[in-house]
Amino acid sequence: MGFLKILLIFIFCSFLRPSIQSDLETYIVHVESPENQISTQSSLTDLESYYLSFLPKTTTAISSSGDEEAASMIYSYHNVMKGFAARLTAAQVKEMEKKHGFVSAQKQRIFSLHTTHTPSFLGLQQNMGLWKDSNFGVGVIIGVLDTGILPDHPSFSDVGMPPPPAKWKGVCESNFTTKCNNKLIGARSYQLGNGSPIDDNGHGTHTAGTAAGAFVKGANIFGNANGTAVGVAPLAHIAVYKVCSSDGGCSDSDILAAMDAAIDDGVDILSISLGGSTKPFHDDGIALGTYSATERGIFVSASAGNSGPSLGTVANEAPWILTVGASTHDRKLKVTVKLGNSEEFEGESAYHPKTSNSTFFPLYDAGKNESDQFSAPFCSPGSLNDPAIKGKIVLCLRSISLLRVAQGQSVKDAGGVGMILINEQEEGVTKSAEAHVLPALDVSNADGKKILAYMNSSSNPVASITFHGTVIGDKNAPIVASFSSRGPSVASPGILKPDIIGPGVNVLAAWPTSVDNNKNTKSTFNIVSGTSMSCPHLSGVAALLKSAHPDWSPAAIKSAMMTTADTVNLANSPILDERLISADLFAMGAGHVNPSRASDPGLVYDTPFEDYIPYLCGLNYTNREVGKVLQRKVNCSEVKRIPEGQLNYPSFSIRLGSTPQTYTRTVTNVGDAKSSYKVEIVSPKGVVVKVEPSALNFSTLNQKLTYQVIFTKTTNISTTSDVEGFLKWNSNRHSVRSPIAVRSNLETYLVHVESPESLISTQSSLTDLDSYYLSFLPKTTTAISSSGNEEAATMIYSYHNVMTGFAARLTAEQVKEMEKIHGFVSAQKQRTLSLDTTHTSSFLGLQQNMGVWKDSNYGKGVIIGVIDTGILPDHPSFSDVGMPPPPAKWKGVCESNFTNKCNNKLIGARSYQLGHGSPIDDDGHGTHTASTAAGAFVNGANVFGNANGTAAGVAPFAHIAVYKVCNSDGCADTDVLAAMDAAIDDGVDILSISLGGGGSSDFYSNPIALGAYSATERGILVSCSAGNNGPSTGSVGNEAPWILTVGASTQDRKLKATVKLGNGEEFEGESAYRPKISNSTFFALFDAGKNASDEFETPYCRSGSLTDPVIRGKIVICLAGGGVPRVDKGQAVKDAGGVGMIIINQQRSGVTKSADAHVLPALDISDADGTKILAYMNSTSNPVATITFQGTIIGDKNAPIVAAFSSRGPSGASIGILKPDIIGPGVNILAAWPTSVDDNKNTKSTFNIISGTSMSCPHLSGVAALLKSTHPDWSPAAIKSAMMTTADTLNLANSPILDERLLPADIYAIGAGHVNPSRANDPGLVYDTPFEDYVPYLCGLNYTNRQVGNLLQRKVNCSEVKSILEAQLNYPSFSIYDLGSTPQTYTRTVTNVGDAKSSYKVEVASPEGVAIEVEPSELNFSELNQKLTYQVTFSKTANSSNTEVIEGFLKWTSNRHSVRSPIALLLIQ
């Protein structure tokens, strides 16, 4: 599977197609329960007949034939949900939607797998404790949903096993009957299982063996971890449900079918080591199925996911699921690498040689001097072609897209004798002990850099790898694994997730094949890591508890594990995370499982199942959505809803405001009949926690007692960060602990309401509209306020252009009250958007008194609204010399405290909540973007003398209106909408928005998309930055088709700096610093990361981390990243006494370098060059260097190059629209700045050089202003089309535009290409998207009527609209993602804006494997503004490409014009 395809599984689950060969796709269809069948499970035949009534008449039976062309039902569900899975076309689904009883149809999603000393580490010992009390889990049935099983493995022997209990109704499929026994009692296979439960991956065998494998003596890998392997519940039965393919993909339709069967079969525990991204529970297949399973008394354990350490990544977070994170145990498979200079570094590996060998071998750096810096350094298969590798130990960088063992195989195939794998920085101390195919080990990123430095310091670098085998007794264990996904829960923030952690790092368990090539045994094992491994540990513990306490409910079992979990490690210190700092609640939940204590918890929190109804209604789900989970009709208006924190859960996660909050909990006595418990409280900082009563006295077993917890905020509570504590009930034998996470209660909500009919057609009665909005708020809230009072519920903004609704600070309870009011639509919590952070005019071909500058009169009369961090009005870039007054249509203002700052250039200035009352820019970003778009001519602009010349914006005579919505912490979406609302009224022509939400979201819930829609409808062009999350695929933001989405590229100017080492080597970088006098003095070098005790602070030169006094007088080496801005790194070096700095960029940055205005001599260099400098430093006792600044160099023929940070397509919100649209200059851009970065206090002419798509966006805003001035009648769509169809696809060397790897940039990096203003001014033809087409387009995205109405600010009935496919929108590019065997035809309409009489002929460059036919092939125009339509038919050919993305274009050419439309086809194999 290609890398892009892997990404698409995660990013575009909702767009997946099962095969390009067919228009049929698998859908999961929800239907209402037929009333006569709602209370019975008996009439399955009638239920299936009911399901079949929804399908086309030709589909009359459940089929598993896999016939791609036949529409067929695949699964009929009767336990986990009311509905079925079927293969259908989109047209058949649309027909189905018309039928009574239809609820929804969702395309099948593909989930991913979340991938023995551990029983001993968990305190399980034979004939003692929990193993004895539970009889090793006898009689309990664990259902494992995974990749299948190897039944012949001795871990699944049934020696000593009793037959399954009488309740068991499961089967072993016909081709598997002889493989089952009293241990493996059931085996089923589903669609992706390819007809057999046999495990051809290994994951399922491993998880089943971990949960309930039998005792197997002599288990080991290469002799490591040698001993008796055993599952956590060795006498429990196993039932296997194979739902995943060999490549690790698992479809939700198969998973639901497996859970449906498991419920009927009679399992007690479901172990689910797989999952996808977070979704609302009613749309989450695993949440739906497990709800039904838990309702039947089945305990469900699921992996939390492997997306850590990022916050908010936890999956499988429904409260009825035990969500399991991963941690280490106290066993290491220790390996050391010893260098020729005697330095030693510790790593881990499961490889163990048959004989001890301490021979030194030469070292080889796979990334050194390689032309392909994106394959060879990572030892990708086929990338190691250097014959010099033979007989050497090879250093490889870790890559998340490659298996570690595969990297070792590449080394072995190339003749290497060993491998050192350097982990990524974020992995911290988490290391993987893989069963490698040659001597190999994992080392930390910091140690890896030291090894690379040694290699480059010696002409004959050598090393020896020594394997020490199994070492037990790591006192730091357990440590939370770096990959373990973190909370808080997105789907339900009021439930603390993950629930618990367990062993998931380097776990030994059964494997289908011998990883050490031992063909004489079936006793094959492997060591792997993941939350996939921790999940079955907890499943096994649950089986033990179920066996010991058969009357305990799933909630009681979960409570027992959570309230007795360990929060300290073996050294009796707080559990740590991968950074070796205390792990927080969102990393470890309640703590690390302690099975022995869980068997005797004293008290349990037994969540009544009926409480889930008021809980789900309290999540603001609709009746239908709650009904999907419950499989019956629900009326939430008849239910007393409860907040999430009121659920009888063993932990607390609450938001707290000025009003105290009270929650009740009920505990059940499962300990001593007569017992007394007293409460112990550790209150979170700034919170008082009071418990009533403070003592609980029980007199009988199973007695229930209720207590109240009152949370009260004190004056010193943090309003920005989470605080933690716990409450604990202690008796003379038991301790029952509940963790507490507290956050601030008041939040800003964006509230959508329906338009009042009397106000919908007029803008005049704003007072009446404000009164209407206020009617939704609590009676105490009666005015718009900007006081920022944290305690008062207040309305912040009243919107009347961008949407029908308002922004207000409210509690969750106030929002719930609001929902009952007629006309309420939705309330969304405010999102914080981020800023997407002069020779460029010349580089763009703009010259005074010539071309488009002359034709447009430099943008005169056009108003650009800049939504950003404000502006410095006194800067000469905003002088109004020669500027006319603003046009008569201008209705904007300069706020009262800013009136005397405005002029004919800066004609408007407003500030919003995060602006703190003044439009003055205290960040710099807004001043920079405003001057880039429309700054006046300023002579002598420079930074430290660099880039010296006349600075000018792209549209220097355009007017500027500033809307300050951001501060240094970010930009609130409510402020952004308020600014856009005002800008529409004010009369701007262009909106320039250099900020975004860091990713994709549906347009109806995306504030920038909402506001931009209304602005575009009023004729305002909206230009937005694409985002700075590149080069990751699918990272583009601001991708609505009515927005111009702008990526970033370089220009042909470099601010060159070089570092020369004491050995004569030189390396080129960039920097805006320039000394007043040339200085070639050599200074001593200092590596900030060498021997640093804190490898997460010091190597990145964080402020305060450089405490070594030897830094004084030296040039310091710092790593890029670590959350520290480059200039701040330099300040830290300067503060520590350093005289210079070399910043080593990250690998992914490639050739993209930043020329920052540093506070001391400094430069950026590539990762490869940085490694060589570190090597030199370690090769000499007196490393020295000099930094030389060459200044401005113009003429880079490779320009433009796509910047590494520039976000890439395809679009997640609308994959059928190609994004980004275009690229423009965004690297090392010189523009106005509020302060002097070179400490020149004698001038207001201050400039700075910065990079980002924030810088490319205003370039395009300026170009749009020029075009608007020249062509005032052009619509926003026409202006966008003109820029896109005339964009350059070649660089200055007349070769294809390159990306940061110096490879040809793909269509998802450059869109249509690089802007060419002169050609855009005379495009010949334009694609003018009719605004009314957005309605059928939005309906075609399967948005609901209400969701489309949110955008349009009026009621819409999509059933009365003829929906269109995304690619049918009259857009200047094509993005086709579902081409099957049936050809697809789309129309486009072009408008003649060139010569009145003109003829255009089509030129087509078809992507490989696709035939493109255009009819007609010639367009003949007879007049200006004439519109002509053509058709494009895409057909697959027999020689279809196997690649994931293929590209082409179509071009209309006349004797004067060339109108190019790029074509992207995304093929999902």
Side-chain angles (χ1 to χ4, degrees):
M1 177 184 288
F3 177 63
L4 176 59
K5 186 177 173 186
I6 293 172
L7 281 176
L8 289 170
I9 288 175
F10 290 93
I11 300 171
F12 302 114
C13 292
S14 60
F15 300 115
L16 285 175
R17 300 292 189 264
S19 170
I20 199 164
Q21 300 297 328
S22 174
D23 293 326
L24 290 167
E25 300 181 77
T26 299
Y27 287 83
I28 295 177
V29 182
H30 286 259
V31 296
E32 292 179 356
S33 294
E35 293 304 317
N36 62 335
Q37 294 174 17
I38 194 167
S39 60
T40 177
Q41 293 288 317
S42 60
S43 186
L44 297 186
T45 304
D46 291 345
L47 190 60
E48 288 179 8
S49 298
Y50 173 62
Y51 289 164
L52 285 166
S53 70
F54 287 88
L55 296 179
K57 293 181 180 178
T58 54
T59 308
T60 56
I62 295 179
S63 167
S64 59
S65 65
D67 183 354
E68 290 266 321
E69 300 307 317
S72 56
M73 186 182 288
I74 299 172
Y75 299 120
S76 171
Y77 305 120
H78 60 279
N79 286 312
V80 293
M81 59 175 273
K82 286 297 182 287
F84 54 91
R87 283 184 59 74
L88 302 161
T89 65
Q92 289 168 334
V93 171
K94 288 215 171 286
E95 284 301 309
M96 191 187 298
E97 290 170 358
K98 301 174 185 176
K99 297 191 176 183
H100 177 72
F102 173 87
V103 174
S104 66
Q106 296 171 307
K107 292 171 186 172
Q108 169 181 282
R109 297 170 67 208
I110 300 296
F111 292 98
S112 60
L113 297 164
H114 282 159
T115 270
T116 241
H117 169 70
T118 49
S120 174
F121 178 65
L122 293 175
L124 299 172
Q125 302 177 50
Q126 290 195 52
N127 302 316
M128 293 177 65
L130 181 54
W131 261 359
K132 180 182 179 182
D133 295 343
S134 68
N135 199 7
F136 301 93
V138 74
V140 177
I141 304 166
I142 302 177
V144 181
L145 274 64
D146 216 289
T147 64
I149 197 166
L150 182 72
D152 298 329
H153 196 283
S155 289
F156 311 118
S157 165
D158 67 348
V159 174
M161 288 285 302
K167 70 170 185 174
W168 176 245
K169 302 292 188 294
V171 299
C172 283
E173 291 186 348
S174 58
N175 60 354
F176 210 74
T177 306
T178 59
K179 300 292 186 181
C180 286
N181 56 25
N182 285 334
K183 164 61 76 176
L184 179 59
I185 62 173
R188 299 179 185 266
S189 180
Y190 295 85
Q191 290 284 302
L192 289 184
N194 297 328
S196 170
I198 290 287
D199 182 9
D200 45 13
N201 175 289
H203 193 275
T205 299
H206 198 282
T207 55
T210 299
F215 289 92
V216 182
K217 294 182 179 179
N220 68 85
I221 298 181
F222 293 109
N224 287 301
N226 196 7
T228 298
V230 62
V232 177
L235 290 187
H237 305 284
I238 297 171
V240 166
Y241 302 84
K242 184 178 179 181
V243 296
C244 305
S245 62
S246 59
D247 64 4
C250 325
S251 76
D252 54 358
S253 58
D254 286 0
I255 293 166
L256 279 168
M259 287 196 274
D260 207 61
I263 292 170
D264 279 340
D265 290 347
V267 304
D268 298 296
I269 312 290
L270 272 176
S271 188
I272 305 175
S273 288
L274 49 89
S277 57
T278 185
K279 290 176 75 73
F281 301 142
H282 56 81
D283 281 339
D284 184 334
I286 291 178
L288 287 170
T290 55
Y291 181 90
S292 297
T294 310
E295 191 175 22
R296 265 65 158 212
I298 299 168
F299 180 94
V300 182
S301 169
S303 47
N306 296 337
S307 298
S310 300
L311 290 175
T313 53
V314 67
N316 296 327
E317 73 255 56
W320 48 87
I321 295 173
L322 180 74
T323 311
V324 187
S327 53
T328 65
H329 50 106
D330 67 337
R331 182 193 66 206
K332 288 184 176 181
L333 303 185
K334 183 178 174 181
V335 186
T336 55
V337 55
K338 185 174 183 179
L339 308 181
N341 63 1
S342 296
E343 283 187 286
E344 283 196 35
F345 302 98
E346 182 180 318
E348 291 202 54
S349 178
Y351 183 88
H352 195 65
K354 294 179 180 178
T355 61
S356 179
N357 189 344
S358 298
T359 305
F360 280 84
F361 293 92
L363 286 168
Y364 180 90
D365 177 8
K368 188 174 183 180
N369 301 323
E370 286 294 335
S371 57
D372 182 359
Q373 287 291 315
F374 297 87
S375 294
F378 302 98
C379 300
S380 301
S383 68
L384 302 178
N385 302 313
D386 191 341
I389 291 173
K390 193 170 187 64
K392 291 185 174 67
I393 296 173
V394 180
L395 270 78
C396 306
L397 299 181
R398 175 77 188 109
S399 170
I400 59 171
S401 64
L402 295 171
L403 296 174
R404 288 175 168 87
V405 174
Q407 291 177 281
Q409 187 66 56
S410 293
V411 172
K412 187 175 182 179
D413 292 343
V417 297
M419 176 179 69
I420 300 169
L421 195 56
I422 301 174
N423 280 339
E424 294 179 294
Q425 184 73 33
E426 70 172 9
E427 294 179 85
V429 298
T430 304
K431 298 170 187 170
S432 182
E434 302 271 346
H436 287 287
V437 296
L438 82 172
L441 76 161
D442 264 28
V443 298
S444 71
N445 184 272
D447 287 346
K449 287 189 178 295
K450 294 171 186 174
I451 296 170
L452 287 169
Y454 158 71
M455 288 182 62
N456 288 280
S457 70
S458 171
S459 59
N460 182 34
V462 295
S464 171
I465 300 175
T466 306
F467 296 85
H468 304 273
T470 307
V471 178
I472 293 175
D474 181 5
K475 294 298 183 183
N476 280 333
I479 297 171
V480 181
S482 61
F483 55 76
S484 186
S485 288
R486 306 309 208 255
S489 165
V490 174
S492 184
I495 301 295
L496 180 61
K497 291 286 177 170
D499 291 307
I500 201 163
I501 56 174
V505 179
N506 301 329
V507 175
L508 176 111
W511 200 253
T513 57
S514 171
V515 295
D516 51 1
N517 204 26
N518 185 349
K519 298 178 181 178
N520 299 319
T521 181
K522 290 183 178 180
S523 185
T524 50
F525 293 85
N526 198 2
I527 292 178
V528 289
S529 300
T531 53
S532 281
M533 283 63 253
S534 53
C535 166
H537 278 93
L538 275 290
S539 304
V541 174
L544 298 179
L545 299 181
K546 184 71 176 176
S547 182
H549 307 280
D551 57 329
W552 280 8
S553 69
I557 293 172
K558 178 199 284 189
S559 171
M561 289 192 274
M562 289 175 64
T563 59
T564 60
D566 293 327
T567 58
V568 295
N569 58 22
L570 295 182
N572 212 34
S573 299
I575 289 174
L576 306 175
D577 65 16
E578 74 287 345
R579 300 168 295 173
L580 296 181
I581 63 174
S582 295
D584 63 26
L585 290 181
F586 296 130
M588 67 175 192
H592 187 276
V593 65
N594 184 322
S596 299
R597 290 188 60 219
S599 184
D600 184 19
L603 308 175
V604 294
Y605 295 82
D606 197 359
T607 311
F609 213 79
E610 58 270 18
D611 283 3
Y612 286 124
I613 301 174
Y615 160 78
L616 291 167
C617 289
L619 289 178
N620 294 325
Y621 291 173
T622 65
N623 292 338
R624 176 166 280 193
E625 289 166 348
V626 177
K628 283 175 68 175
V629 180
L630 272 60
Q631 300 183 62
R632 59 183 174 85
K633 290 185 176 179
V634 174
N635 188 342
C636 283
S637 64
E638 298 173 356
V639 174
K640 187 177 180 181
R641 304 179 185 206
I642 62 172
E644 299 157 273
Q646 182 58 29
L647 198 64
N648 200 47
Y649 211 71
S651 58
F652 294 86
S653 178
I654 64 169
R655 285 197 175 274
L656 185 61
S658 56
T659 304
Q661 292 184 27
T662 301
Y663 298 100
T664 60
R665 289 291 189 272
T666 298
V667 286
T668 304
N669 180 23
V670 294
D672 302 321
K674 291 187 176 181
S675 53
S676 294
Y677 290 81
K678 291 185 177 179
V679 74
E680 173 191 350
I681 301 169
V682 173
S683 295
K685 182 181 179 182
V687 178
V688 174
V689 180
K690 184 179 180 183
V691 176
E692 296 178 348
S694 60
L696 299 174
N697 298 302
F698 295 90
S699 57
T700 61
L701 205 60
N702 294 318
Q703 181 183 354
K704 295 179 185 292
L705 290 177
T706 297
Y707 66 90
Q708 284 188 332
V709 190
I710 304 166
F711 298 92
T712 306
K713 181 179 176 182
T714 64
T715 55
N716 62 338
I717 187 174
S718 169
T719 58
T720 57
S721 60
D722 300 322
V723 289
E724 302 178 4
F726 64 84
L727 69 82
K728 190 189 294 182
W729 290 102
N730 296 312
S731 73
N732 59 353
R733 279 207 321 116
H734 298 104
S735 180
V736 187
R737 184 182 187 275
S738 292
I740 299 169
V742 178
R743 287 161 288 165
S744 176
N745 187 39
L746 274 173
E747 297 181 90
T748 301
Y749 286 84
L750 194 59
V751 182
H752 287 260
V753 296
E754 292 180 357
S755 294
E757 296 304 317
S758 60
L759 296 168
I760 195 166
S761 60
T762 177
Q763 294 290 316
S764 60
S765 186
L766 297 186
T767 303
D768 290 344
L769 189 61
D770 286 344
S771 298
Y772 171 63
Y773 290 161
L774 284 166
S775 70
F776 287 87
L777 295 180
K779 292 181 181 178
T780 54
T781 308
T782 56
I784 295 177
S785 168
S786 60
S787 65
N789 185 348
E790 286 275 328
E791 304 307 317
T794 54
M795 184 181 286
I796 299 172
Y797 300 119
S798 170
Y799 305 118
H800 59 277
N801 287 310
V802 292
M803 60 176 270
T804 306
F806 54 90
R809 279 188 62 77
L810 302 161
T811 67
E813 289 73 20
Q814 289 167 335
V815 172
K816 287 189 187 303
E817 286 301 310
M818 191 186 299
E819 290 169 0
K820 302 173 185 176
I821 300 175
H822 177 71
F824 173 87
V825 175
S826 66
Q828 297 170 306
K829 291 176 185 174
Q830 172 181 281
R831 296 165 61 209
T832 299
L833 310 178
S834 59
L835 297 164
D836 284 335
T837 303
T838 148
H839 170 71
T840 50
S841 297
S842 174
F843 179 64
L844 293 174
L846 300 173
Q847 300 178 50
Q848 291 194 49
N849 302 315
M850 294 178 64
V852 67
W853 259 0
K854 180 181 179 182
D855 294 344
S856 67
N857 202 1
Y858 302 92
K860 185 173 286 186
V862 177
I863 304 167
I864 302 177
V866 180
I867 297 180
D868 214 290
T869 65
I871 197 167
L872 182 73
D874 298 329
H875 197 283
S877 289
F878 310 118
S879 164
D880 66 348
V881 173
M883 288 286 300
K889 69 171 185 172
W890 176 244
K891 302 292 188 294
V893 298
C894 283
E895 291 187 347
S896 56
N897 60 354
F898 208 75
T899 306
N900 62 352
K901 299 291 186 182
C902 286
N903 56 26
N904 286 335
K905 164 59 77 174
L906 178 58
I907 62 172
R910 300 178 185 264
S911 180
Y912 296 84
Q913 289 285 301
L914 289 185
H916 298 148
S918 169
I920 290 286
D921 183 9
D922 46 12
D923 176 279
H925 193 275
T927 299
H928 198 281
T929 56
S931 66
T932 299
F937 290 95
V938 181
N939 293 327
N942 69 84
V943 176
F944 291 110
N946 288 299
N948 198 5
T950 298
V954 177
F957 280 6
H959 305 283
I960 297 172
V962 166
Y963 303 83
K964 183 179 179 181
V965 298
C966 308
N967 60 23
S968 57
D969 295 326
C971 327
D973 57 359
T974 51
D975 287 359
V976 174
L977 273 171
M980 297 172 85
D981 205 62
I984 292 170
D985 276 342
D986 289 349
V988 304
D989 299 294
I990 312 291
L991 271 176
S992 188
I993 305 177
S994 288
L995 49 93
S1000 179
S1001 61
D1002 292 321
F1003 301 143
Y1004 59 81
S1005 62
N1006 183 314
I1008 292 179
L1010 282 168
Y1013 183 90
S1014 297
T1016 310
E1017 191 174 23
R1018 265 77 155 197
I1020 300 167
L1021 182 133
V1022 182
S1023 170
C1024 290
S1025 48
N1028 295 338
N1029 294 317
S1032 300
T1033 301
S1035 54
V1036 67
N1038 294 327
E1039 73 260 55
W1042 46 88
I1043 291 173
L1044 180 71
T1045 310
V1046 188
S1049 53
T1050 65
Q1051 53 186 314
D1052 67 336
R1053 182 193 66 207
K1054 287 185 176 182
L1055 303 185
K1056 185 178 175 182
T1058 56
V1059 55
K1060 185 175 182 179
L1061 307 181
N1063 63 1
E1065 285 187 284
E1066 287 194 28
F1067 303 98
E1068 181 182 319
E1070 290 204 53
S1071 178
Y1073 182 88
R1074 193 175 179 188
K1076 294 179 180 178
I1077 57 173
S1078 180
N1079 190 342
S1080 299
T1081 304
F1082 279 84
F1083 294 93
L1085 286 167
F1086 179 88
D1087 178 7
K1090 188 170 185 179
N1091 301 322
S1093 58
D1094 184 354
E1095 62 181 80
F1096 299 95
E1097 299 280 336
T1098 311
Y1100 298 101
C1101 299
R1102 191 180 301 278
S1103 178
S1105 68
L1106 302 177
T1107 57
D1108 192 332
V1110 302
I1111 290 173
R1112 182 168 294 279
K1114 292 185 172 65
I1115 295 172
V1116 181
I1117 310 289
C1118 305
L1119 299 182
V1124 185
R1126 286 175 166 85
V1127 173
D1128 290 358
K1129 293 176 193 285
Q1131 187 65 57
V1133 171
K1134 187 176 183 180
D1135 291 344
V1139 297
M1141 176 178 66
I1142 301 169
I1143 297 179
I1144 301 176
N1145 277 336
Q1146 295 172 316
Q1147 181 77 28
R1148 67 186 310 190
S1149 297
V1151 299
T1152 304
K1153 297 170 188 170
S1154 182
D1156 288 282
H1158 288 288
V1159 296
L1160 82 173
L1163 77 164
D1164 258 29
I1165 59 170
S1166 70
D1167 180 82
D1169 288 345
T1171 300
K1172 295 171 185 174
I1173 294 173
L1174 289 172
Y1176 158 72
M1177 290 181 63
N1178 287 280
S1179 70
T1180 176
S1181 59
N1182 183 34
V1184 295
T1186 181
I1187 301 175
T1188 308
F1189 298 88
Q1190 284 81 22
T1192 308
I1193 307 294
I1194 293 175
D1196 181 6
K1197 293 298 183 183
N1198 281 332
I1201 298 172
V1202 180
F1205 56 75
S1206 186
S1207 289
R1208 309 307 210 256
S1211 163
S1214 183
I1215 197 171
I1217 301 295
L1218 179 61
K1219 291 286 177 169
D1221 291 307
I1222 201 163
I1223 58 174
V1227 179
N1228 300 329
I1229 303 301
L1230 177 115
W1233 200 251
T1235 58
S1236 171
V1237 296
D1238 50 2
D1239 203 28
N1240 184 349
K1241 298 177 182 177
N1242 298 317
T1243 180
K1244 291 183 177 180
S1245 184
T1246 51
F1247 292 84
N1248 198 3
I1249 293 177
I1250 54 177
S1251 300
T1253 53
S1254 281
M1255 283 64 255
S1256 53
C1257 166
H1259 278 94
L1260 274 291
S1261 304
V1263 173
L1266 298 179
L1267 300 183
K1268 183 70 176 176
S1269 182
T1270 308
H1271 308 282
D1273 57 330
W1274 279 10
S1275 69
I1279 293 172
K1280 179 199 287 188
S1281 171
M1283 288 192 273
M1284 290 174 63
T1285 61
T1286 60
D1288 293 327
T1289 58
L1290 302 177
N1291 60 21
L1292 295 182
N1294 212 34
S1295 297
I1297 290 174
L1298 305 175
D1299 65 16
E1300 75 285 347
R1301 301 167 299 173
L1302 296 182
L1303 298 174
D1306 67 27
I1307 205 165
Y1308 293 131
I1310 65 171
H1314 188 276
V1315 65
N1316 184 322
S1318 299
R1319 290 188 60 220
N1321 195 40
D1322 184 19
L1325 308 175
V1326 293
Y1327 294 82
D1328 199 357
T1329 311
F1331 213 78
E1332 58 271 17
D1333 282 4
Y1334 286 124
V1335 180
Y1337 160 79
L1338 292 166
C1339 289
L1341 289 178
N1342 293 323
Y1343 289 175
T1344 65
N1345 293 338
R1346 177 164 279 190
Q1347 289 164 348
V1348 177
N1350 272 3
L1351 278 160
L1352 273 62
Q1353 301 181 62
R1354 59 183 173 84
K1355 290 184 177 179
V1356 173
N1357 189 341
C1358 282
S1359 63
E1360 298 173 356
V1361 174
K1362 187 177 180 181
S1363 300
I1364 62 172
L1365 297 174
E1366 298 158 272
Q1368 181 57 33
L1369 198 65
N1370 199 49
Y1371 211 70
S1373 58
F1374 293 85
S1375 179
I1376 312 297
Y1377 65 97
D1378 57 355
L1379 183 62
S1381 55
T1382 304
Q1384 293 185 22
T1385 299
Y1386 299 99
T1387 60
R1388 288 290 189 274
T1389 298
V1390 286
T1391 302
N1392 181 23
V1393 294
D1395 301 322
K1397 291 188 176 180
S1398 52
S1399 294
Y1400 290 81
K1401 290 185 178 179
V1402 74
E1403 173 191 347
V1404 178
S1406 295
E1408 181 185 355
V1410 176
I1412 299 177
E1413 184 179 354
V1414 179
E1415 293 181 351
S1417 60
E1418 187 171 339
L1419 299 175
N1420 296 301
F1421 294 91
S1422 57
E1423 57 185 9
L1424 206 58
N1425 294 319
Q1426 183 182 354
K1427 298 180 185 292
L1428 291 178
T1429 298
Y1430 66 91
Q1431 283 189 332
V1432 189
T1433 302
F1434 298 90
S1435 305
K1436 283 189 63 193
T1437 60
N1439 61 338
S1440 177
S1441 169
N1442 289 321
T1443 59
E1444 290 89 355
V1445 181
I1446 52 178
E1447 306 178 9
F1449 65 84
L1450 70 79
K1451 190 189 297 182
W1452 290 101
T1453 305
S1454 73
N1455 59 352
R1456 276 208 323 116
H1457 298 104
S1458 180
V1459 187
R1460 185 183 184 274
S1461 291
I1463 298 169
L1465 281 103
L1466 181 61
L1467 306 185
I1468 300 176
Q1469 303 299 318

